[in-house]
Amino acid sequence: MNINHLKILFSEEQIQRRIKELGDEMNKFYNGEEVYAICVLKGAVMFTVDLVKHLNMPLKMEFIRLSSYNGGTSTSGKVNAVDISLPDLNGKNVLIIEDIVDTGLTAKFLLDFLNCNFHTKSTKFCSLLDKKVSRLTDIEPDYYGFEVDDKFLIGYGLDYDGYYRNLRYIGYMEKSELE
Ligand code: 5GP
């Protein structure tokens, strides 16, 4: 893949502006109540770090690691829980933070896991990006930053074969240019 072929979809400024808006919305909703923010590694790392800086309630950060891509550019259809160790979330406000909801299989896996294991006070799902057109489940994020088309997105946590997570912006490649 040639990085020069990457077309910018969301600039650093657009991303940061939208994250602040999401943070403001969440501050209103939680109204000072404690929150457990669960970052879904690796893709959501940048978004999580920037989002929690805008949250003003008592907050604990947890990190879990799921994978479904096996290094390719489309989901394998099977979600692997690489590390899903979590503290006792009974009676807690849980905010799951994801990079992108695509088919929704990862989100569904995670929400089912939480429902089976805990009676939370509230469970909210936040994703920076929402690829609604690719959905194979009935999952809708409670919060999302931007709706996107069915393109392969790279940057700001989203990788191509492990690379480019460190970009400050989100770009895309035409699928024909990916190989
Ligand atoms: P889902 O389970 O909703 O199909 O996909 C969720 C995961 O697939 C995301 O957390 C992300 O890791 C990966 N994914 C989905 N779409 C894209 C994309 O356009 N680019 C990249 N780099 N990863 C994606």
Side-chain angles (χ1 to χ4, degrees), residues 17 40 56 81 84 92 95 106 109 114 130 143 150 155-157:
R17 203 178 317 127
V40 185
N56 59 20
I84 200 164
K92 309 292 186 193
L95 175 65
T106 306
F109 173 89
L114 287 175
D130 188 351
Y143 299 95
D150 185 20
Y156 195 68

Side-chain angles (χ1 to χ4, degrees), residues 48-175:
T48 302
V49 167
D50 286 338
L51 177 66
V52 295
K53 289 183 216 162
H54 292 287
L55 299 182
N56 59 20
M57 71 290 282
L59 180 142
K60 290 190 178 179
M61 292 174 76
E62 298 292 336
F63 298 85
I64 60 174
R65 193 164 156 208
L66 305 179
S67 82
S68 62
Y69 260 43
N70 304 326
T73 59
S74 62
T75 179
S76 66
K78 187 176 174 304
V79 181
N80 295 315
V82 182
D83 174 8
I84 200 164
S85 40
L86 286 166
D88 180 3
L89 297 173
N90 287 305
K92 309 292 186 193
N93 292 307
V94 175
L95 175 65
I96 302 167
I97 307 176
E98 252 288 29
D99 50 357
I100 183 164
V101 181
D102 183 12
T103 60
L105 289 169
T106 306
K108 185 167 174 5
F109 173 89
L110 204 44
L111 290 167
D112 288 348
F113 177 85
L114 287 175
N115 274 336
C116 285
N117 288 282
F118 306 105
H119 287 290
T120 62
K121 179 167 186 192
S122 69
T123 303
K124 296 283 176 197
F125 197 99
C126 172
S127 180
L128 179 61
L129 304 168
D130 188 351
K131 226 188 246 182
K132 289 188 194 294
V133 286
S134 314
R135 203 72 98 250
L136 297 177
T137 58
D138 57 0
I139 297 288
E140 288 299 330
D142 299 288
Y143 299 95
Y144 67 89
F146 305 100
E147 185 173 340
V148 294
D149 294 336
D150 185 20
K151 295 203 161 67
F152 188 71
L153 307 174
I154 298 162
Y156 195 68
L158 294 156
D159 72 310
Y160 176 67
D161 200 19
Y163 294 100
Y164 307 118
R165 294 190 198 275
N166 56 319
L167 299 180
R168 291 163 180 256
Y169 56 88
I170 294 171
Y172 68 93
M173 297 286 283
E174 297 300 345
K175 289 205 166 155

